[in-house]
Amino acid sequence: MRKLLAIFLIMLTALPLWAGARHTVLMDVLQIRELSGILHEEGLQFGATLNDDWLEGQGGPAWAGQVTRIYDVDRIAEGIRAGLEPALEGEVLEAAIAFFASELGSQIITFENAARRALADPEIEAQARAKFVKQQDSNDVRLVQINRMIKAGDLINRNVTSALNSNYQFLRALVDGDVYTMSDEEILDDVLSEREAITEDTNIWLGAFLTLAYSPLSLEELTSYADFAESEAGRALNNGFFAGFDPLYEDISYALGRAMAMNMAAEEL
């Protein structure tokens, strides 16, 4: 009886272990480790901006170290995985793996990461934004496919919501750190006052990023990717990314706010 029970337990635990292995494959084909490194570098760059704007450039090694720890690569990767795992299972998981393990899927991830790195350069970002603004109201066949992806993932609205939530957490952390005295309602009103500007900026940045990233693709390849974005697996993947990114960046924003409050308090001493 004990032997049979042991075998039964092994069979039960084998299922999540197998699922975990397949999610690891998904993380690999999506090159999440590289993406996490890119997001880490973006975080350091944002931290430098906060240092200039809020600490008059006087944050020094202490602030830099705090920002580095907050944007820890492992933390980012684990946060992404936490969103992807419950969102993709069974057939949709296998469909996502199959697409991004293909030559086209692998190229797409490589192009996306390269474009994200390139946009870290202010001059390149400005050029990409200007190019998109000129194109955005045209009937360009490539933009039609890109707009299919944006619509399928509700990318504008979801990115704006994510940005607003992150800003809320940053400001709430400053209030908790006694930098400001504001009610939750006042924090929310302050954050929401920026919705229109954030929406406009998100629309242009996202368009610039996607047109730059997918410029090496043929129209046929771009159409295939739009087809995937509209599929059940594509929508599940998009949902998983936001399920991971939203709480991750809310936590990061709050941590940045608390670190900023501590640094501002130290300056006053």
Side-chain angles (χ1 to χ4, degrees), residues 26-32 34 95-113 213-214 217 220-222 224-226 228-229 237 241:
L26 178 66
M27 295 281 285
D28 288 343
V29 297
L30 292 173
Q31 301 177 35
I32 297 300
E34 180 178 355
I97 290 173
F99 182 84
F100 288 103
S102 69
E103 182 178 358
L104 174 60
S106 179
Q107 288 179 334
I108 286 169
I109 296 297
T110 299
F111 294 152
E112 288 177 347
N113 287 342
Y214 305 144
L217 299 176
E220 182 180 2
E221 290 170 332
L222 191 57
S224 295
Y225 192 26
F228 173 78
L237 182 64
F241 268 119

Side-chain angles (χ1 to χ4, degrees), residues 128 132 135 142-143 146 206-216:
F132 173 71
Q135 292 179 307
R142 297 179 64 84
L143 278 181
I146 289 174
L206 188 61
F209 167 65
L210 296 178
T211 51
L212 177 63
Y214 305 144
S215 57

Side-chain angles (χ1 to χ4, degrees), residues 168-242:
Y168 175 86
Q169 292 299 329
F170 181 79
L171 191 52
R172 186 171 72 86
L174 293 178
V175 172
D176 290 345
D178 296 325
V179 174
Y180 296 129
T181 301
M182 301 173 70
S183 67
D184 283 345
E185 185 177 353
E186 288 172 329
I187 296 173
L188 186 60
D189 287 343
D190 187 89
V191 169
L192 290 178
S193 69
E194 299 294 325
R195 176 186 284 275
E196 186 175 343
I198 290 174
T199 299
E200 181 179 356
D201 184 71
T202 299
N203 179 60
I204 295 174
W205 185 91
L206 188 61
F209 167 65
L210 296 178
T211 51
L212 177 63
Y214 305 144
S215 57
L217 299 176
S218 68
L219 178 58
E220 182 180 2
E221 290 170 332
L222 191 57
T223 301
S224 295
Y225 192 26
D227 290 342
F228 173 78
E230 291 178 338
S231 70
E232 183 181 2
R235 292 177 187 274
L237 182 64
N238 183 68
N239 290 339
F241 268 119
F242 278 101

Side-chain angles (χ1 to χ4, degrees), residues 144-158:
V144 170
Q145 301 307 318
I146 289 174
N147 285 329
R148 285 176 60 200
M149 299 179 204
I150 293 173
K151 183 178 180 180
D154 193 19
L155 297 183
I156 301 297
N157 180 60
R158 296 183 80 160

Side-chain angles (χ1 to χ4, degrees), residues 41-53 55 63-64 67 71 256 260:
E41 293 299 326
E42 289 181 358
L44 299 187
Q45 189 174 33
F46 180 58
T49 300
L50 290 176
N51 181 40
D52 291 339
D53 293 346
L55 299 174
W63 170 254
V67 173
Y71 283 97
L256 282 172
M260 179 61 70

